[in-house]
Amino acid sequence: MNTLSQLRESPKGEDHRSISLDLAPPIGSTRPSQSEGEDVETNSSVSAVLKNSIIENEPSSGTTEQLSCYIKKRRARFQDVETSRDVKKLKALTATPDAASIAELRLKGALDLPHNLVRDELIGAFYQWVDPLVPVVRKKEFFQCFEDPSKPRSLLLLQAILAAGSTVCKSPSGEVDAVPCAYDPGIYFERARLLYEANYEKDPVTLVQSLILMGWYWEGLNETTKDSFYWTKVAIAVAHAFGLHRIYEASRLSVDEKRMRRRIWWTLLTRDCSVTLALGGSLSIDMKNTNLEVICAADFENDQEQISSLQPNDPDRVQFFLQYAALSQQTALVLSQLNRITTEQKPKADLESTMGFCGMSLAAWMQNCPPALQWHANRHKFWPAILHSFYYTTICLLHRRHMYSTRGSGQRSQNSGTIPFRAAGMITNIVDALAVHDELCRCPGIIVYSLFSAMTVHIFYMRSSDLPTASISKLRCSVCMNALQIASHSWSIARTMHAMFEAVLKKPDLEANLQRVAEQRFQPPSEV
């Protein structure tokens, strides 16, 4: 029986065409929020109100009646402040769409869903290739909400899952002509965007989950405002607004709800690092501002049950995300230090000390990585390959300035100059193995930036006076260019990267100009 049998079946004889699913809430109704009224952050404004209350209403004598009245007034004042802050959040972010908005959404196709077979295939692809990197939607709860009509259903979350799943799902060759849009992630992303902007979703946790998945979609350079960076930062801001980054001792949240909050927040950290690494800017998350514990295997206990035949459970996936979160912490350290170095003029000795500390932190992560998640070319596995490509991309970013600063100074044989060369070589080996196993189209968007990092290093060393080094770099360039061409079937940004590097390789003058700019950009400050 179909796992999503409660969704409306398409009419008999209809082949893979969109069907409309009316999940519009009754006008004027609201969905109860699990977090509404719970765990509201008490910030300095609340403290100020309470402080003023103490000064103004402090009892003049020590009688029991007066003290009891004073305490009741304090509690009432505190509850008023809590409620007012929570109501403002809900009004701002979860206003109920009116009948006209629902009609407009239906007209624009935001309430449409693909045929059941296509829908199930996209959901299966999501849980197989995307969920291990963004484990914010439990399989059990997701499937149960559609199998049980009494449970609330989130069309926004479903469209976001379909958008993420379609980025890693191959369209059947025999059906491409019949269903040109069934596997197009842009269609589902646009539907999710329309639902979000219409304030369709009421539950704050579901809203953040949907925004995280919308941030998975990375179309290209033509979308310069609301891109992957934008949606990820919006997800972080909404999570902050609803207080998902904190859990209080007196919280009424269940154990499962607390675990899901940890999973959401640590996923946001990994996404924050990925988009900042790829697109630049500053990190939005400071782990010092949260009291959530470090994510652990216990937070995935409910996921160990076999919920659907779409994808069997893999215990290594839990360990993968735990290591991915730990690596993201080290990447966040590197990004913050590089940002500080860029904005502050420091002596060269201080710069090298900082980079050395970051390098040792990354080396410690690699040393503690479990053997099951170590990547080796002779025993290739997908998730260790993704994990290590992210690691070596961070290494390239950390040591790239040394590569340019030692150009022409006779220091290329030193360790700092060869680290990016070796890291770029490892990225090339990994993407080559992924291409051989036909898995490049399943990779997340960050693999495009990994290829970009490797290509910048290879092009630099192609002009080396050392002929073996130049020859190896030229060969690696060919491998990376082929990988970009394959990745462009899933990520259109890879097509842009391929065209850019093709122009650089064909025009030596352009390459020389770019290298000259890079050398000036990474020129270390003089000794103080």
Side-chain angles (χ1 to χ4, degrees):
M1 186 175 179
N2 197 300
T3 54
L4 305 179
S5 58
Q6 294 300 324
L7 289 175
R8 183 178 299 172
E9 296 292 334
S10 59
K12 188 175 182 180
E14 183 182 31
D15 288 330
H16 295 188
R17 285 174 290 179
S18 295
I19 59 175
S20 179
L21 179 66
D22 192 358
L23 295 182
I27 304 303
S29 67
T30 58
R31 181 182 303 164
S33 169
Q34 293 177 349
S35 300
E36 186 174 349
E38 298 178 6
D39 303 303
V40 182
E41 183 183 1
T42 54
N43 60 9
S44 57
S45 62
V46 177
S47 302
V49 171
L50 295 180
K51 184 176 180 181
N52 293 335
S53 176
I54 293 175
I55 297 174
E56 295 173 4
N57 303 314
E58 188 171 2
S60 57
S61 63
T63 63
T64 304
E65 292 80 9
Q66 288 176 323
L67 182 60
S68 176
C69 181
Y70 162 69
I71 292 175
K72 287 180 180 179
K73 287 182 179 180
R74 277 193 63 185
R75 288 179 177 172
R77 185 72 175 273
F78 177 79
Q79 290 174 356
D80 288 343
V81 173
E82 253 193 340
T83 303
S84 64
R85 292 178 68 230
D86 198 40
V87 167
K88 288 179 181 178
K89 293 176 186 176
L90 293 175
K91 285 183 177 181
L93 296 173
T94 60
T96 304
D98 54 19
S101 299
I102 297 298
E104 184 178 0
L105 289 174
R106 185 177 290 107
L107 183 64
K108 292 181 178 180
L111 305 183
D112 291 346
L113 288 174
H115 186 274
N116 291 349
L117 295 178
V118 177
R119 182 197 61 218
D120 290 350
E121 187 179 359
L122 296 179
I123 293 174
F126 168 80
Y127 277 107
Q128 183 175 3
W129 303 106
V130 180
D131 178 70
L133 282 157
V134 283
V136 295
V137 184
R138 289 194 184 98
K139 288 189 289 185
K140 181 177 181 180
E141 294 179 0
F142 176 75
F143 287 112
Q144 282 182 347
C145 76
F146 286 100
E147 294 172 357
D148 186 355
S150 65
K151 292 190 175 182
R153 314 174 191 181
S154 173
L155 182 57
L156 172 62
L157 181 59
L158 179 57
Q159 298 286 18
I161 287 177
L162 295 175
S166 59
T167 62
V168 294
C169 186
K170 293 181 179 179
S171 58
S173 57
E175 300 180 8
V176 172
D177 295 335
V179 202
C181 299
Y183 297 88
D184 183 2
I187 298 296
Y188 302 109
F189 173 81
E190 181 63 17
R191 293 173 183 174
R193 184 188 65 81
L194 290 171
L195 292 171
Y196 169 76
E197 293 179 350
N199 295 320
Y200 194 88
E201 182 54 51
K202 311 299 177 298
D203 181 70
V205 174
T206 305
L207 183 61
V208 174
Q209 291 170 325
S210 303
L211 287 168
I212 291 173
L213 298 182
M214 291 172 69
W216 179 268
Y217 178 71
W218 186 14
E219 176 56 23
L221 297 178
N222 56 331
E223 183 57 79
T224 57
T225 53
K226 295 185 177 181
D227 54 5
S228 179
F229 184 91
Y230 170 84
W231 293 108
T232 300
K233 300 300 182 178
V234 169
I236 294 171
V238 174
H240 267 294
F242 284 111
L244 298 185
H245 61 301
R246 303 189 69 83
I247 295 179
Y248 296 96
E249 294 181 2
S251 170
R252 292 174 289 174
L253 294 173
S254 66
V255 174
D256 285 345
E257 288 172 331
K258 291 180 180 180
R259 288 174 174 174
M260 179 49 68
R261 285 198 174 201
R262 276 193 292 271
R263 287 169 60 165
I264 289 175
W265 193 251
W266 281 92
T267 299
L268 283 171
L269 172 66
T270 63
R271 295 299 301 157
D272 191 23
C273 289
S274 293
V275 298
T276 304
L277 184 66
L279 301 174
S282 302
L283 292 169
S284 298
I285 291 181
D286 185 353
M287 293 305 291
K288 296 178 182 178
N289 296 330
T290 178
N291 68 344
L292 297 181
E293 298 175 356
V294 176
I295 194 168
C296 61
D299 296 323
F300 296 84
E301 282 183 357
N302 289 345
D303 288 4
Q304 301 307 311
E305 303 175 13
Q306 181 64 35
I307 305 304
S308 169
S309 60
L310 288 174
Q311 175 58 33
N313 290 312
D314 184 357
D316 288 343
R317 295 186 176 208
V318 174
Q319 289 301 317
F320 163 79
F321 185 77
L322 298 182
Q323 292 300 318
Y324 182 46
L327 177 58
S328 295
Q329 283 186 294
Q330 304 306 321
T331 304
L333 173 65
V334 172
L335 290 169
S336 61
Q337 291 299 322
L338 287 177
N339 185 59
R340 185 180 65 86
I341 289 172
T342 303
T343 56
E344 299 178 10
Q345 291 294 327
K346 294 288 184 180
K348 185 177 180 180
D350 289 353
L351 297 180
E352 293 180 352
S353 175
T354 300
M355 309 309 281
F357 173 75
C358 293
M360 287 190 296
S361 298
L362 287 167
W365 175 88
M366 174 62 81
Q367 187 175 3
N368 294 326
C369 186
L373 290 173
Q374 294 282 351
W375 183 83
H376 301 281
N378 57 352
R379 49 186 179 92
H380 168 80
K381 289 185 178 181
F382 180 78
W383 294 114
I386 296 300
L387 190 64
H388 282 67
S389 67
F390 191 75
Y391 168 80
Y392 287 112
T393 301
T394 307
I395 292 291
C396 279
L397 178 68
L398 178 63
H399 293 279
R400 194 163 53 198
R401 72 166 48 241
H402 290 287
M403 181 179 72
Y404 289 108
S405 64
T406 58
R407 180 180 176 88
S409 61
Q411 300 180 16
R412 283 198 180 192
S413 61
Q414 295 184 6
N415 191 43
S416 61
T418 58
I419 286 177
F421 179 77
R422 296 198 305 268
M426 288 300 299
I427 293 174
T428 306
N429 293 339
I430 290 172
V431 296
D432 189 32
L434 289 168
V436 169
H437 290 82
D438 196 23
E439 292 174 334
L440 263 179
C441 59
R442 314 290 193 180
C443 293
I446 189 65
I447 199 70
V448 179
Y449 178 74
S450 297
L451 286 165
F452 172 83
S453 298
M455 281 294 296
T456 56
V457 176
H458 295 333
I459 290 175
F460 177 84
Y461 280 100
M462 276 178 60
R463 301 297 182 261
S464 172
S465 58
D466 183 23
L467 294 182
T469 298
S471 178
I472 292 173
S473 297
K474 186 175 182 179
L475 180 62
R476 289 174 175 176
C477 268
S478 300
V479 174
C480 290
M481 289 293 284
N482 179 63
L484 281 172
Q485 196 166 13
I486 298 174
S488 65
H489 297 301
S490 298
W491 305 99
S492 62
I493 186 68
R495 190 177 302 111
T496 305
M497 294 290 182
H498 184 275
M500 179 189 71
F501 283 119
E502 196 172 37
V504 169
L505 292 173
K506 288 182 178 179
K507 298 180 180 179
D509 293 341
L510 176 60
E511 176 191 342
N513 291 335
L514 291 175
Q515 286 195 356
R516 215 167 16 248
V517 171
E519 290 170 16
Q520 295 173 359
R521 173 68 179 80
F522 289 103
Q523 187 68 30
S526 58
E527 287 285 355
V528 176

